[in-house]
Amino acid sequence: MAYDDPQDVSMRRHGYDSVDQATARHLQVKTLLERRKDQIIDRLQDPRLTPGERERLQAAKEEVKRDIASIRVWGSEEDFDRMRRKYGRRG
């Protein structure tokens, strides 16, 4: 396969073709947490929120941020499973 620009990194093949199952599960959980955080941030933009609702959402956002930090570097399989159970059921 010929490339127009061999310097284009996005066109180069990576040294890997697949992601192992554990890494795929970890990415899925991280995505769940990031989506949840984004949903909360979006809801916090609503000017119609009552002070109580805003406070509850702020607390939920901080909880998600703590959970993200807890698995970011040293998350064990148990940590990832716990986060999948905690955030996987939310819509």
Side-chain angles (χ1 to χ4, degrees):
M1 176 181 252
Y3 300 118
D4 290 337
D5 183 3
Q7 299 299 318
D8 186 2
V9 175
S10 66
M11 298 299 288
R12 291 185 191 167
R13 280 186 56 83
H14 299 289
Y16 54 91
D17 287 327
S18 65
V19 177
D20 64 50
Q21 289 182 355
T23 303
R25 284 193 308 272
H26 293 182
L27 291 172
Q28 180 186 34
V29 171
K30 289 177 182 179
T31 300
L32 283 171
L33 272 72
E34 290 293 341
R35 283 184 184 162
R36 179 61 182 153
K37 183 182 74 171
D38 291 345
Q39 289 171 350
I40 293 170
I41 290 170
D42 288 345
R43 290 181 61 198
L44 282 167
Q45 302 305 312
D46 186 352
R48 297 171 296 178
L49 287 175
T50 66
E53 290 171 327
R54 187 169 303 282
E55 186 176 317
R56 182 183 58 78
L57 286 171
Q58 286 285 4
K61 182 179 87 170
E62 293 304 316
E63 179 181 4
V64 173
K65 286 172 60 176
R66 281 191 304 272
D67 288 341
I68 290 170
S70 75
I71 63 171
R72 179 169 283 137
V73 177
W74 301 110
S76 67
E77 284 299 317
E78 293 82 19
D79 294 333
F80 280 96
D81 288 342
R82 182 170 41 86
M83 294 301 149
R84 183 182 6 261
R85 286 190 304 272
K86 184 175 181 179
Y87 293 99
R89 293 189 182 107
R90 296 181 184 203

